[in-house]
Amino acid sequence: MTRFAHFYLRVSIILLFFSLLAVSCKKPETQPNDYPIIPLSIDEVEITGGFWASKIKTSREVTVPHILEFCKETGRIDNFRKAAGEIEGPHLGERYNDTDVFKTIEGVSYHLQYAKDES
């Protein structure tokens, strides 16, 4: 697999995992009789061990730092600095590269919702 394929695979795994957990915080006002399951909000879920705990740990300690570094290496972060006028130069990469940064921030936000991190 290419470096880009690894990047997108890791981002996809993070987002898939958190999308499974991130359900609507608003409970339905009326519950259909044929669907007895009530969804939980993300802050009502606590994963303390097992398969998903190890995946979250790997994502937090390995995948997210790798993706952040990759965004820096490929100029995605600098594109925002250029747009803000902090540095000069042409936009690097594809025009949709900003979405990779947005999704990375989303993944980091979900991690921070579960555990604080001073770094």
Side-chain angles (χ1 to χ4, degrees), residues 35-98:
Y35 191 74
I37 298 172
I38 299 173
L40 300 173
S41 68
I42 195 167
D43 52 345
E44 293 177 294
V45 176
E46 182 177 357
I47 298 173
T48 58
F51 176 82
W52 284 115
S54 69
K55 297 301 176 200
I56 292 171
K57 183 178 183 211
T58 300
S59 174
R60 182 183 188 90
E61 295 175 0
V62 179
T63 307
V64 167
H66 173 77
I67 292 171
L68 287 170
E69 187 59 36
F70 188 79
C71 284
K72 289 178 192 173
E73 288 175 9
T74 57
R76 287 173 169 94
I77 303 295
D78 282 344
N79 284 338
F80 283 92
R81 295 180 66 213
K82 291 172 188 174
E86 291 181 10
I87 61 175
E88 292 195 18
H91 180 275
L92 297 176
E94 301 295 331
R95 61 186 167 92
Y96 51 81
N97 275 353
D98 57 341

Side-chain angles (χ1 to χ4, degrees), residues 3-65:
R3 195 169 175 198
F4 289 110
H6 279 281
F7 172 76
Y8 289 114
L9 178 63
R10 288 179 177 174
V11 169
S12 298
I13 289 170
I14 289 172
L15 295 176
L16 173 64
F17 168 73
F18 284 113
S19 67
L20 293 173
L21 292 179
V23 294
S24 173
C25 294
K26 190 175 183 182
K27 296 201 185 311
E29 293 179 19
T30 59
Q31 184 69 27
N33 294 334
D34 62 338
Y35 191 74
I37 298 172
I38 299 173
L40 300 173
S41 68
I42 195 167
D43 52 345
E44 293 177 294
V45 176
E46 182 177 357
I47 298 173
T48 58
F51 176 82
W52 284 115
S54 69
K55 297 301 176 200
I56 292 171
K57 183 178 183 211
T58 300
S59 174
R60 182 183 188 90
E61 295 175 0
V62 179
T63 307
V64 167

